[in-house]
Amino acid sequence: ELNARREFGEKNRAQLFVAVHADYSPGTARGATIYSLRPNVANMLQQTARNEVNEALPANFELPKTAEGDTSAVKEILADLYRREVELTPARTNVLVKSVIGNMGQSTNLMQNPDRNAAFVVLKSAKVPSILIELGFVTNEADARLLTSEEWREKVSTSISTAIENYFANRGP
């Protein structure tokens, strides 16, 4: 289920979420597209995530006590770090999208303007950079042939893997 996929990633502290699908169109559309969350939806989710800071700490997480035995300072530092991570999610998503487009463009046909925004369920996370890759259109004869080609799938999956490796190598702290 789509919601369960996203929730699984968040629950297990995924550093990245990538959904890979094939698209459908009654027209003549052809090529790959990469979707990320619409900015207005991302902003709303960020606000919600910032308000849920206490849920970011696992229930069994033991906080070190200060000399006075108080954990509030440690909690505030962890909450601030969490808020910063949430704030970086849209920028990190954008970097990932650019990396995927750059690498996939060398291995397959991309739609014109392949960097798209949507409010798809699998993208609705403020906690994890999330993208949806539409490899092509099953309704387009040329794309459908490629989607069934083992050689093409290997080439495209390698380009996606390289994009992900580049993302992590250049992400910074």
Side-chain angles (χ1 to χ4, degrees):
E1 190 179 320
L2 296 176
N3 274 325
R5 295 177 199 177
R6 185 193 69 246
E7 290 167 2
F8 179 84
E10 288 179 353
K11 177 183 170 195
N12 290 284
R13 292 186 172 75
Q15 296 294 303
L16 196 60
F17 183 90
V18 179
V20 180
H21 296 190
D23 214 340
Y24 173 89
S25 173
T28 59
R30 177 161 197 248
T33 48
I34 294 81
Y35 288 92
S36 58
L37 194 57
R38 283 190 186 134
N40 61 333
V41 177
N43 291 338
M44 181 183 64
L45 290 172
Q46 276 188 309
Q47 185 59 47
T48 301
R50 282 190 296 266
N51 294 335
E52 296 172 347
V53 167
N54 290 337
E55 292 179 26
L57 299 175
N60 61 351
F61 187 75
E62 290 188 32
L63 294 171
K65 292 183 168 59
T66 61
E68 297 82 34
D70 184 17
T71 61
S72 61
V74 176
K75 282 183 182 177
E76 187 53 42
I77 290 168
L78 291 174
D80 184 54
L81 289 171
Y82 178 73
R83 283 186 211 102
R84 289 180 191 193
E85 285 295 311
V86 167
E87 295 294 328
L88 289 171
T89 298
R92 287 180 173 162
T93 300
N94 191 45
V95 168
L96 176 62
V97 167
K98 301 298 184 228
S99 182
V100 170
I101 288 172
N103 282 277
M104 277 186 70
Q106 297 174 28
S107 65
T108 194
N109 181 49
L110 299 175
M111 286 194 73
Q112 187 174 350
N113 304 315
D115 183 354
R116 310 255 173 122
N117 297 121
F120 297 137
V121 171
V122 293
L123 299 175
K124 290 184 178 180
S125 175
K127 301 169 187 170
V128 180
S130 304
I131 64 171
L132 176 120
I133 300 171
E134 294 284 3
L135 293 174
F137 289 83
V138 295
T139 50
N140 179 286
E141 192 175 316
D143 278 359
R145 254 193 322 275
L146 290 174
L147 289 165
T148 60
S149 163
E150 185 70 34
E151 181 182 331
W152 179 85
R153 288 194 312 262
E154 181 66 32
K155 185 169 62 168
V156 171
S157 63
T158 298
S159 71
I160 294 169
S161 295
T162 300
I164 292 169
E165 289 169 4
N166 291 343
Y167 166 82
F168 282 113
N170 298 305
R171 189 175 92 160

